[in-house]
Amino acid sequence: MNNKKGISAIVATVLIILITVAAVTIIWAAIIPMISNQLGKGTVCLDAVSQLSLVDNGYTCKNGNNISIQVKQGAKNINLADIQVLVLAGGSTTSYSLINSTTTLSPTNMDATKLPKPNEEKVYTIDTSGISGSIDKVEIAPVVTVGKTKDTCDISGTRILKAC
């Protein structure tokens, strides 16, 4: 006589289903926050890039060691924390922050409250004396607040600089 006992087919099927549901729940709990965070950043950056532009109405130009840029924000309110200015000269790129008071000459005493608000244009003057070579063009990229972090988005405006 053989007295060996095994797991019945019904119990085995129920165990496999429970293990599968537990695995899916664990993976879901780990993946969904990561995906939703990236989607949130993408949405905020998409809005910021579409709302921020570099305008050339005679104020975006270069004058000696300084450049002036005219920045316009559209009608939609965005969580703008800063604007990164990329100055291209002779094949190299130098990055500036608009809220950095050591490089932004005008408006004086820059901070985040001096950034353009919805439906507003502002002209900024930046000291570019540290750049060697002829300045070719300027680009801007919005820096937005997503949750508790600041993220730099894609470039939203590019202009070739001419003399003032």
Side-chain angles (χ1 to χ4, degrees):
M1 291 203 182
N2 204 354
N3 277 340
K4 293 183 180 177
K5 294 186 178 182
I7 300 175
S8 70
I10 295 173
V11 173
T13 304
V14 169
L15 285 174
I16 289 174
I17 291 172
L18 287 175
I19 291 171
T20 304
V21 168
V24 167
T25 303
I26 291 170
I27 291 172
W28 189 267
I31 299 294
I32 291 301
M34 189 171 23
I35 292 172
S36 65
N37 186 23
Q38 291 299 320
L39 287 175
K41 177 188 172 196
T43 304
V44 170
C45 273
L46 183 63
D47 287 343
V49 167
S50 69
Q51 292 297 310
L52 200 65
S53 61
L54 191 57
V55 182
D56 191 9
N57 289 336
Y59 295 104
T60 300
C61 57
K62 58 184 173 181
N63 184 12
N65 288 335
N66 299 332
I67 64 167
S68 294
I69 59 171
Q70 185 176 5
V71 180
K72 178 183 179 182
Q73 182 176 333
K76 190 171 186 179
N77 192 13
I78 53 177
N79 293 330
L80 195 60
D82 192 4
I83 298 174
Q84 183 179 28
V85 180
L86 303 169
V87 179
L88 290 80
S92 65
T93 304
T94 306
S95 176
Y96 295 94
S97 164
L98 276 191
I99 62 171
N100 184 349
S101 61
T102 60
T103 58
T104 305
L105 303 174
S106 165
T108 55
N109 299 325
M110 272 299 292
D111 60 20
T113 62
K114 305 279 190 207
L115 295 172
K117 294 179 178 32
N119 286 326
E120 187 175 53
E121 291 183 17
K122 287 196 176 185
V123 177
Y124 301 94
T125 303
I126 299 172
D127 178 15
T128 58
S129 59
I131 296 178
S132 61
S134 176
I135 297 173
D136 302 320
K137 67 179 177 176
V138 65
E139 301 175 333
I140 59 169
V143 178
V144 294
T145 304
V146 180
K148 294 182 180 182
T149 62
K150 292 181 182 179
D151 291 319
T152 303
C153 302
D154 292 333
I155 292 170
S156 64
T158 300
R159 292 281 179 234
I160 295 174
L161 288 177
K162 298 176 184 166
C164 294

